[in-house]
Amino acid sequence: MSVQGVLDKIKENNIQFVDFRFVDLSGHAHHITLPSTEVDGDTFVNGVAFDGSSIPGFRGIEESDMVMMPDTDSVFIDAFTDHPTLNIMCNIHTPDGERYERDPRSIAQKAEEYLQTTGIGTAAFFAPESEFFLFDDVRYETKMNTSFFSVDSEEAAWNTARKEEGGNLGYKVGVKGGYVPVAPVDSQQDIRSEMVRLMQEAGLRVERHHHEVATAGQAEINFRFDTLTKTADNLLLYKYIVNNVARQYGKSATFMPKPLFGDNGSGMHVHQSIFNGDSPLFYEKGAYANLSPMAIHYIGGILHHAPALIALTNPSTNSFKRLVPGYEAPVNLVFSKGNRSAAVRIPVAAVTPKGCRIEFRTPDSTANPYLAFAAMLLAGLDGIKRKIDPTALGYGPYDKNIYDLSDAEKAEIRSVPGSLDEALDALEADSEFLTEGGVFTQDFIDNYVAFKRGEAKAVAIRVHPYEYNLYFDC
């Protein structure tokens, strides 16, 4: 959309405010709102100033002035404001007009530009499956003398004996019993449908929604693939709508990978492919899973760089509570067709040549999507350029349930890092593929590692309630 198109949209929809948004290192959106009377053509040339030193991981107070530069292709009308408001995603620039090298959205755009310079293809397409929980009550606290969390859901397995409902009506979702039941067991059909309606109004093409495996309100809504940066924009919009509709219904949504102990966590399986114009480059009829050599080499790059990649695709201490065997968690660094126990799965049901793709199942929604998608693309491109053969390196294919293998067979399979610190170690040791084409800078990587190590340390030094079970009477 042109600048004039945005200004016309403001006028035609009687927009009173324009909300300018950017994303921080962790993937959280921030915003500054201007009255629409203060927005004109110059706004899209000069941008909107803000204080970068107040955003964790950005800039020091001595160099705090930053500028949001609006992207006219990212506008949508906000469904949750009392006053008509138009939202616009922005890139971050320095005061002298240069791209800010720590801006996640600019990094995503540079990854797309780099793809085009390689001659491999013209566009990379991404489609995340971002799962979440809907809770009725969320409480947590961390002090010197206390630490706890407590969440609740009217459909949770632990509430079969609860009386507070005015007579328990039953129909609770059992542990690992939540995959696509109908109502009344699935109590959240209307909430998800309202989320979908608003996503469609905002411009997302939604393909389906359903209850997910875990008890206590786990859900999934799938929207259609798009190019890398646009898909990251769409994921932020998706999470914004999920969170706000949940609040309207008196619930809280969370995209935490592992909010519950003993049941499935929430992942963000990421489907991806490369096209040259209108031609899909990952399809070859009759080959293994109908994958082209390029697709196989792309998989090789993903699996070869996976330990480092996971520092960006699973960047929280909670991520590694999900990445444990036994809960459909893709901890095994192998590939397979249709096999959900592998880190890389190739969907084979109802797939057309243009729909042929690979699915990296390890990521979760604590990832900043701009950084995660850019990093996945760069890992895959490195695999293509170097012709990394995942079969020769022992990454499969494994077309059987890996969890049923013998201990000796499992020992031959490489696993994901066991903690955020291990993933950050891997990133420090293997980051050259990210700096190709200047997409990520070494400054960004060093800053990111330091920022995330701070999070890991903050969790590690705190007393855990279960330690009282283990050690209080020692």
Side-chain angles (χ1 to χ4, degrees):
M1 184 181 296
S2 65
V3 170
Q4 188 58 50
V6 175
L7 298 176
D8 291 343
K9 191 177 185 74
I10 292 171
K11 183 177 181 180
E12 291 164 4
N13 291 277
N14 297 313
I15 296 297
Q16 296 178 12
F17 293 92
V18 181
D19 203 55
F20 296 88
R21 300 186 171 195
F22 66 94
V23 66
D24 67 14
L25 200 61
S26 296
H28 298 118
H30 301 263
H31 70 136
I32 292 176
T33 308
L34 274 62
S36 59
T37 53
E38 297 299 311
V39 177
D40 56 22
D42 288 343
T43 308
F44 296 85
V45 176
N46 301 323
V48 177
F50 72 99
D51 174 13
S53 68
S54 296
I55 305 301
F58 266 24
R59 302 194 87 167
I61 196 169
E62 75 283 358
E63 49 177 5
S64 60
D65 286 355
M66 310 284 300
V67 180
M68 286 187 280
M69 296 302 299
D71 184 339
T72 59
D73 289 328
S74 67
V75 301
F76 66 95
I77 296 175
D78 199 310
F80 304 103
T81 54
D82 290 334
H83 303 280
T85 301
L86 187 75
N87 296 337
I88 305 179
M89 284 301 300
C90 302
N91 292 340
I92 301 173
H93 285 206
T94 60
D96 59 7
E98 297 296 320
R99 274 175 166 170
Y100 181 46
E101 64 181 17
R102 295 184 184 177
D103 173 28
R105 196 168 188 270
S106 293
I107 288 172
Q109 291 172 335
K110 286 191 288 184
E112 293 184 287
E113 294 162 7
Y114 173 64
L115 167 63
Q116 295 182 355
T117 67
T118 65
I120 291 171
T122 57
F125 291 94
F126 286 76
E129 298 178 7
S130 183
E131 299 165 335
F132 56 91
F133 280 84
L134 293 172
F135 293 128
D136 297 303
D137 185 57
V138 179
R139 289 176 291 126
Y140 52 91
E141 185 174 70
T142 302
K143 293 182 179 179
M144 175 185 290
N145 68 320
T146 184
S147 179
F148 82 95
F149 75 88
S150 177
V151 296
D152 206 1
S153 166
E154 62 183 1
E155 68 170 45
W158 57 80
N159 279 326
T160 55
R162 187 170 69 171
K163 296 181 179 180
E164 289 80 1
E165 297 178 17
N168 197 318
L169 300 179
Y171 301 113
K172 307 305 181 188
V173 176
V175 175
K176 292 181 175 286
Y179 188 65
V180 297
V182 298
V185 177
D186 178 2
S187 65
Q188 298 175 350
Q189 170 81 12
D190 289 339
I191 300 175
R192 295 194 308 270
S193 292
E194 176 65 5
M195 292 171 178
V196 169
R197 182 184 73 81
L198 293 178
M199 289 175 191
Q200 291 173 322
E201 285 188 3
L204 296 188
R205 180 175 170 181
V206 180
E207 297 181 329
R208 62 180 185 172
H209 73 77
H210 61 85
H211 202 291
E212 256 299 345
V213 173
T215 190
Q218 191 183 33
E220 181 179 313
I221 301 173
N222 300 143
F223 59 88
R224 193 167 178 81
F225 66 87
D226 211 317
T227 51
L228 190 156
T229 303
K230 182 61 177 175
T231 299
D233 287 345
N234 288 343
L235 184 57
L236 259 66
L237 173 57
Y238 167 93
K239 295 172 80 170
Y240 180 69
I241 291 173
V242 167
N243 285 322
N244 281 282
V245 171
R247 188 173 182 85
Q248 288 181 335
Y249 276 78
K251 298 181 184 293
S252 291
T254 181
F255 292 85
M256 267 182 78
K258 195 71 169 182
L260 302 177
F261 171 71
D263 209 337
N264 283 30
S266 293
M268 185 180 71
H269 311 148
V270 182
H271 299 253
Q272 45 205 289
S273 63
I274 297 177
F275 275 55
N276 187 29
D278 292 330
S279 300
L281 301 180
F282 277 13
Y283 180 79
E284 182 175 298
K285 186 175 181 179
Y288 175 79
N290 291 321
L291 287 182
S292 68
M294 179 184 291
I296 294 293
H297 293 144
Y298 189 98
I299 291 171
I302 292 284
L303 292 174
H304 176 69
H305 294 296
L309 198 56
I310 285 168
L312 292 157
T313 63
N314 302 76
S316 70
T317 59
N318 189 251
S319 298
F320 298 88
K321 303 292 194 298
R322 167 181 168 257
L323 293 177
V324 295
Y327 297 94
E328 296 190 11
V331 298
N332 301 292
L333 296 179
V334 297
F335 73 101
S336 174
K337 59 181 179 182
N339 186 345
R340 285 173 167 79
S341 63
V344 174
R345 185 177 80 96
I346 302 96
V348 292
V351 171
T352 64
K354 288 192 173 183
C356 189
R357 61 199 185 276
I358 71 106
E359 175 191 359
F360 188 32
R361 295 177 59 81
T362 304
D364 65 57
S365 293
T366 58
N368 181 321
Y370 301 97
L371 302 179
F373 298 163
M376 283 184 263
L377 176 61
L378 290 169
L381 292 177
D382 189 59
I384 292 170
K385 291 191 298 178
R386 295 170 53 194
K387 299 189 185 308
I388 297 175
D389 182 353
T391 300
L393 295 176
Y395 296 133
Y398 281 83
D399 293 328
K400 53 186 175 181
N401 189 339
I402 296 169
Y403 301 131
D404 290 338
L405 296 178
S406 68
D407 290 342
E409 290 174 311
K410 289 179 183 178
E412 297 178 359
I413 296 175
R414 191 171 63 145
S415 295
V416 300
S419 68
L420 178 57
D421 272 321
E422 287 184 23
L424 294 170
D425 289 343
L427 177 59
E428 287 185 311
D430 177 26
S431 62
E432 288 186 6
F433 72 99
L434 295 173
T435 58
E436 286 292 319
V439 177
F440 288 79
T441 64
Q442 193 59 50
D443 169 76
F444 176 89
I445 294 169
D446 293 343
N447 177 65
Y448 178 87
V449 169
F451 182 77
K452 287 296 176 179
R453 286 207 191 278
E455 290 183 7
K457 182 179 179 181
V459 173
I461 64 175
R462 280 166 169 77
V463 178
H464 190 284
Y466 194 65
E467 290 177 301
Y468 274 77
N469 294 64
L470 294 173
Y471 308 125
F472 187 75
D473 62 350
C474 64

